[in-house]
Structure formats: C-alpha cells, structure tokens
Amino acid sequence: MSSELMIEMKNVHKWFGELHVLNDINLEINKGEKIVICGPSGSGKSTLIRCINRLEEHQRGNIIVEGTELTNDSRSIERIRGEVGMVFQQFNLFPHLSILDNCSLAPIWVRKLPKAEAKEKAMEYLKRVQIDDQAHKYPAQLSGGQQQRAAIARALCMEPRIMLFDEPTSALDPEMIKEVLDVMVGLAQGGMTMIVVTHEMGFAKEVADSIIFMDEGQIVEAKNPKDFFDNPESERTKTFLSQIL
Amino acid sequence: MSLANKEIGPPVIELGVMGWLRKNLFSNWYNSLLTIFGVYLLYILIPPLVNWIFLDANFVGSTRDDCTNEGACWIFIRQNIKLIFYGLYPTEELWRINFVYLILFISGVYLLIPELKYKGWVGAFLLIIFPIICVIMLSGGLGLEAVETRLWGGLFLTLVIAGVGIVLSLPIGVMLALGRRSKLPVVSILCTIFIEIWRGVPLITVLFMASNMFPLFMPEGVNFDKLIRALIGVMFFSAAYLAEVVRGGLQAMPKGQYEASQAVGLTYWRMMTLVILPQSLKMVIPAIIGSFIAIFKDTTLVLVIGLFDFLGIIQFVGTNPDWLGFSHEGYVFAAAVFWVFCYAMSWYSQRLEKKLDTGR
C-alpha cells in the first residue's frame, strides 16, 4: 500500500448562520483509500464532502487536497476541482445535452481536449458504466439508475484522482440501486480514492477501508468496517446502527 | 384475455365526424347552446366583413373616383404604397432597401430549413456582417449617396427600429440579468438601479427625453442623429424588461445545475454560456418573444418625436386632401401587416420551443 496523502482536513469548522454544521473535523485520506461516511440527516456528512471541492466554503481550519490548500484563490479551487469528481444524489445531469455531450463538455472546455478525442474518451467511460448504447439520448429519456451511471461517467471523463459520492443511491428506485453500486464497486477495485456518503451498509462492508460515523457536525467514530459493525464504541453509533441495519 | 380485448373496438359513436361533434360541441345542453350561439355570431359577422374587404372592395384604379364606396377602397393603399413602405426615401435609391430585405429574406429562409448545414456561419453573418452592410447600404457611404434618416419612414423605419431594438436588447438584457444576480454588490446594485429606472418610465417618456432633453446635456456642436437617439432609448427600454424575464429563467434553474457545472470545473462564464443560459433562456422563450412583440408594436410611439413609422405614415397619408375619409382602410391594412409580423414571431417561437425540447 502506498501512503500518499490525498486529502487532509485540519480543524475544519463551518457554520450555516448560527448552526455549527462542521465542528473540528480532522481527516486524512491516502491514495486509493475508500471512506464511507454515514450518520443521521443533518449530521454534516454532505457538507463535509462538499467542502472538499468548494461547493461549500469552510470558515476555519485547513483543507489540503493533493498538496494544494483550498483558499479563496480561484486558481486553487480550479485546480482542486480538476482533480476531484463528484456524483450527486439528484444526478444533476445537464438536461439540454445528450449523454455523450454531458460527458465530453468539461473535457472540451476545461481540459481543452479536441472534440473528437473528448467524445471518444466519453464513449469509453460510458461503455465502462454500460450505457454506451444510450449515448445519444437525453437525460430525461433514461431511467434513474442509467442517469446516475451517466453522471458517474461524466465525473470520470475528467480523469479525477478522487471521487466524491453524495448519497448516490438515495434517489433511486430499489431495483436500480444495485446497478449503480456495481459500478462503484468496480471503480473501487480499480484503485480510485473514494469518499462515499451513503447508508448502503452492504457496500460499506464490501469496499470501505474505513467507515466514519458523524453526528451533529462531529466525527463520532472512524473505524475499519469489521470493528465498526462489531464493536462500535459510542452510544450514538450503536443507536444509529440499530436503526438502519 | 388480452387477445379477446383487442377484438372489441371502441363504441362507434366515439369515432368519426359525428363522434367528434358530439364529444366537443354538443356534449350537454349548455355546450350545445354555446355552439349554436357561436355559429350565429360568426354568421352575422363574417359575411359583411368578407364583403367589405374582398367582394365589394375596389382594387383597380388610380384615384378616389374609381372607388364605388360599397366596400373598401384598396386603391388608397396602392396609390400610397411607396410612402407606406419606404417613407420619403429617394425613389432612385429604393433598390438599396430592397437589397437589404433580399439578403435578410434569403438568410432567414436558409435558417428555417432544417436540412441545411453551416447555420452557425449564416447566423454569424447575420449578426456581425449584415448590420455593417445595412448601415452602409441604408445611410450611404462607399460611393453610395447619403440618405438622411429624416427621410426614412414607413414600414422600413418600423423594421429598423424594431430590428435594432430586438437584436441589441437581448444580449444587453442577459448581461443585466446576470449582473443583477451577481455576488459582487456594486455590479448587482448598479444593474438593479439601471433596470428599475428604465422599467419605471413609460416608453413615450423615454422617447421624449431622447429626442428633446438629451441634446441639452450634450456639449455644443455634438449632435446625435434623432433616429439613433430613439434607437438607444428603445433598446435600453426593451433590455430592462428582458433582463427581468431572463432573471426569472435564471432563478427557475435548480441549484444542482450550478453545482454540477462547478464540480466538473467550469468557470463562471463557461457555466453560464454552456449550461445555465441555454436552459433558462429556453424556459422563457414565450416571455422573450412576448417582449419582442410588445417592442415591435411600441415602435409606433416614435411618431411623438416626429419619426414617421408605418402607422404614423398611414395616418399621415390619410390626411392628404386627395384621400380624406379612407382611414378605415388604412387602419385595417396597418392591423393586418402588424398581425403578420407579430404572428410570424409567435409562430417562430413555438417552432423553436418544439425544436429545443429535450424533456426534463
């Protein structure tokens, strides 16, 4: 195992008005590690990963992604967004563009790839998530599971070194959850560094190197899956696990 | 089960002309009553109108004495057609206007045919090179005799004002809308003030200001063309309205679209031009076209600053002693022409909406 440090969060705090949504978060994630974050709603887990690519701004502490510290400098934000891909709960595909154009848009305009090359690469990733036959359709013509896989392909087309997943299966019908999780498992086996906010404990058991339990803006517990499920220390973790398992 | 169901057709009464009539016009007693009343209304209105406009109307001749006065006297329009379409533009120079119309017509038809390629280039030509051609052709230069704008008039002037107003106000409106939503307070406040001032003033006031008060603030000797001043007024007025329409579209965009664009690394301008504006402008096409139609019709107000637009010139020729008493014909003709242009815009907007629809 290499232990190249990919993401470092030091004493990170964030408030929404009076509400202390992130309270002294300390986290180190190495290359190739898969982290699953769970916790009750409003615990700050989504906010935490959204701070990593600056969709939310942290107010105190340091976030360093691949050696670049996140500051208000737009160049640091751009550099980090180029390295970090994100998948959203609501897919957030661009409805006015075909699936193929959704995937090739950023490579063309951000990475400055020639059009043909970007589309070729997009097709490659669409094949990997097994929807290359849908490439010329529009998002509204696809099922939820297909849309989410397209969204994963869109993120991968930027060839990120880190992937963030914000409850990727929560908006899906039950029979479509597996097809998305399969893609994510495949990605994990390929060595991608991943941070996944999810309640899919089966997925967590299978791929996570470490599971983080958050409550009220704090990291309550962070352990490998076996210890997390077998010997949770805190009462809050135990209550949470008893509710979702 | 399913096979058996297939063999049973729908009830016969639901099908065909009778079925349609029954379902839509005579479904119950008050619907039947309304249908009969509607048909009666059409019966008493349509025949006299058709008689007046077509059957009893006079089309041939050259003076008012050729009109029988039983129906409309379209000779009045025919005899003044040059004035109505071109104003006082010199007769020997009219080909310049017609040439511009021809270019516009050909490029327009080209853009409407879906099978043709290189639409982007034709569009760019229309937006960048064509305006230059217009200025040179219409006002003179490069060896062409100068034609002062006070000679411009009629439908030609209406199209110039509406065209310039519409084409320039959209980009300005979009910029104002983006500015008003900007995170930079100075930009946002300036755009808001600009929009609210223009929207708070009637167009007629704007035109008066542009024509009468604006020159007072200019240094001695600086003299803007009256038409240009009116154009600027119409343009900003329309832009302020469009800005609010566009802002409505921007606000209807889900936050996720902004976040997804940022997450893949698009910068602000790329995000706006590639993701947000294409979607939000599409959403507000009906309202944008509504603004365009309003501006097209509002151009008739330029009469108050002494420019003779289409309607103005029709009223003017109606006061010619040779043609007194034909204002009905003039107004009906004006209404018909305005309707054709406005409906064309409306038709185009529906077509565009259908073409751009990708579902949601």
Side-chain angles (χ1 to χ4, degrees):
Chain A
M1 278 292 279
S2 62
S3 59
E4 187 188 330
L5 196 57
M6 297 290 270
I7 301 172
E8 199 181 353
M9 296 178 100
K10 284 191 285 196
N11 310 105
V12 172
H13 289 262
K14 176 168 181 64
W15 290 263
F16 284 134
E18 289 287 298
L19 189 68
H20 204 167
V21 280
L22 291 182
N23 186 353
D24 198 26
I25 300 291
N26 286 284
L27 196 60
E28 288 189 353
I29 297 168
N30 288 322
K31 183 166 191 275
E33 267 190 313
K34 291 91 179 106
I35 310 291
V36 165
I37 305 178
C38 58
S41 75
S43 58
K45 51 196 194 306
S46 285
T47 310
L48 189 154
I49 67 166
R50 286 158 61 85
C51 279
I52 295 174
N53 66 350
R54 235 329 135 104
L55 291 184
E56 304 286 356
E57 196 177 326
H58 62 286
Q59 285 138 347
R60 214 186 272 173
N62 313 83
I63 300 177
I64 300 155
V65 181
E66 286 214 277
T68 308
E69 169 149 20
L70 260 179
T71 60
N72 277 328
D73 179 9
S74 63
R75 274 169 309 174
S76 85
I77 298 174
E78 272 166 42
R79 190 174 316 141
I80 286 171
R81 281 178 180 163
E83 301 295 336
V84 179
M86 187 163 203
V87 175
F88 299 86
Q89 182 177 0
Q90 299 293 345
F91 330 134
N92 295 347
L93 290 171
F94 306 132
H96 63 305
L97 299 177
S98 71
I99 297 299
L100 184 61
D101 289 338
N102 261 278
C103 292
S104 59
L105 184 77
I108 291 171
W109 292 96
V110 181
R111 287 268 190 263
K112 315 280 183 207
L113 287 189
K115 258 188 194 165
E117 194 182 321
K119 299 214 167 182
E120 201 176 306
K121 192 192 285 173
M123 279 311 281
E124 220 171 274
Y125 282 108
L126 286 172
K127 198 172 257 169
R128 225 165 103 181
V129 300
Q130 291 172 6
I131 44 168
D132 47 322
D133 52 334
Q134 316 281 337
H136 297 286
K137 289 192 181 165
Y138 287 98
Q141 295 168 288
L142 269 57
S143 74
Q146 290 172 325
Q147 287 193 46
Q148 192 60 300
R149 284 186 280 151
I152 294 173
R154 176 177 69 182
L156 291 177
C157 279
M158 287 294 284
E159 313 207 303
R161 313 236 299 154
I162 300 163
M163 284 285 283
L164 308 175
F165 292 84
D166 189 1
E167 306 207 26
T169 56
S170 307
L172 293 176
D173 290 334
E175 76 270 21
M176 294 169 181
I177 291 178
K178 187 173 177 300
E179 64 188 55
V180 171
L181 288 181
D182 284 347
V183 168
M184 290 167 62
V185 170
L187 202 58
Q189 285 162 350
M192 178 67 79
T193 309
M194 292 162 69
I195 308 180
V196 185
V197 173
T198 187
H199 291 152
E200 293 294 330
M201 287 303 135
F203 173 80
K205 261 182 202 158
E206 192 179 342
V207 304
D209 296 306
S210 145
I211 302 181
I212 292 173
F213 175 71
M214 284 186 73
D215 195 18
E216 292 176 351
Q218 287 176 310
I219 294 181
V220 178
E221 204 152 340
K223 286 183 164 165
N224 68 55
K226 193 169 171 350
D227 288 345
F228 184 79
F229 290 112
D230 297 345
N231 314 302
E233 275 164 44
S234 112
E235 277 309 312
R236 280 187 285 179
T237 316
K238 283 178 199 163
T239 321
F240 177 75
L241 283 176
S242 70
Q243 277 161 352
I244 63 163
L245 285 180
Chain B
M1 184 66 188
S2 62
L3 263 179
N5 275 344
K6 255 184 204 161
E7 282 160 26
I8 304 173
V12 177
I13 197 70
E14 296 278 304
L15 292 176
V17 180
M18 289 310 286
W20 186 87
L21 284 177
R22 207 184 150 85
K23 197 168 159 194
N24 294 291
L25 298 178
F26 299 101
S27 57
N28 50 41
W29 68 266
Y30 57 84
N31 209 343
S32 308
L33 211 65
L34 276 176
T35 302
I36 292 165
F37 179 69
V39 170
Y40 175 71
L41 211 62
L42 292 178
Y43 171 74
I44 57 169
L45 283 179
I46 299 285
L49 263 181
V50 171
N51 281 341
W52 187 80
I53 296 176
F54 300 106
L55 302 180
D56 296 338
N58 300 104
F59 296 91
V60 216
S62 52
T63 66
R64 61 181 303 153
D65 300 328
D66 296 319
C67 286
T68 53
N69 288 332
E70 281 163 11
C73 178
W74 297 123
I75 300 164
F76 161 66
I77 301 291
R78 274 186 52 183
Q79 287 301 308
N80 293 296
I81 202 74
K82 198 220 123 202
L83 217 47
I84 290 174
F85 278 176
Y86 302 102
L88 298 169
Y89 212 86
T91 311
E92 60 277 18
E93 305 292 335
L94 283 186
W95 65 271
R96 286 155 57 173
I97 297 181
N98 291 332
F99 179 74
V100 166
Y101 282 165
L102 186 70
I103 300 181
L104 192 62
F105 179 76
I106 293 173
S107 346
V109 169
Y110 189 97
L111 291 178
L112 281 175
I113 301 175
E115 287 81 18
L116 295 175
K117 285 182 176 171
Y118 308 115
K119 293 241 172 71
W121 290 106
V122 177
F125 163 79
L126 269 186
L127 286 177
I128 298 160
I129 300 175
F130 179 67
I132 301 171
I133 296 178
C134 281
V135 170
I136 294 168
M137 288 301 287
L138 299 177
S139 61
L142 292 183
L144 289 171
E145 194 189 325
V147 180
E148 283 180 66
T149 54
R150 63 180 179 81
L151 300 176
W152 297 20
L155 184 61
F156 163 60
L157 183 67
T158 295
L159 292 177
V160 167
I161 298 172
V164 172
I166 284 171
V167 171
L168 292 183
S169 65
L170 185 59
I172 299 175
V174 169
M175 295 310 289
L176 285 171
L178 292 177
R180 186 163 185 174
R181 279 172 58 83
S182 168
K183 283 196 188 114
L184 309 168
V186 178
V187 176
S188 165
I189 289 170
L190 283 179
C191 287
T192 307
I193 291 174
F194 187 89
I195 291 169
E196 294 304 339
I197 286 180
W198 285 93
R199 287 210 314 160
V201 182
L203 181 57
I204 211 162
T205 320
V206 170
L207 291 171
F208 264 126
M209 295 272 284
S211 140
N212 300 327
M213 297 193 51
F214 185 65
L216 299 179
F217 302 121
M218 295 311 273
E220 197 79 24
V222 176
N223 188 22
F224 267 121
D225 191 284
K226 184 154 81 178
L227 176 62
I228 291 181
R229 281 182 266 142
L231 280 177
I232 293 173
V234 168
M235 179 180 82
F236 282 137
F237 184 81
S238 168
Y241 274 90
L242 281 172
E244 289 300 277
V245 167
V246 172
R247 190 166 69 95
L250 290 173
Q251 269 160 350
M253 287 296 294
K255 210 170 145 232
Q257 292 291 308
Y258 291 90
E259 292 181 348
S261 319
Q262 288 167 349
V264 291
L266 295 177
T267 56
Y268 175 82
W269 288 108
R270 294 258 158 76
M271 168 173 82
M272 283 302 167
T273 51
L274 297 171
V275 177
I276 305 298
L277 282 173
Q279 293 183 64
S280 46
L281 288 180
K282 188 170 83 183
M283 260 188 277
V284 293
I285 286 174
I288 290 178
I289 299 290
S291 274
F292 285 173
I293 289 176
I295 274 301
F296 188 81
K297 293 190 288 192
D298 282 351
T299 54
T300 50
L301 289 174
V302 295
L303 185 63
V304 302
I305 56 168
L307 293 173
F308 282 90
D309 75 309
F310 182 56
L311 184 65
I313 215 130
I314 284 180
Q315 284 174 320
F316 173 75
V317 291
T319 59
N320 179 343
D322 290 343
W323 294 103
L324 277 179
F326 290 112
S327 52
H328 286 104
E329 283 84 346
Y331 286 125
V332 169
F333 181 69
V337 172
F338 269 105
W339 183 84
V340 166
F341 279 98
C342 293
Y343 183 73
M345 285 193 260
S346 184
W347 171 82
Y348 183 69
S349 95
Q350 287 169 28
R351 197 186 126 100
L352 199 62
E353 268 185 87
K354 266 199 204 111
K355 195 180 141 204
L356 297 180
D357 182 28
T358 59
R360 258 215 89 95

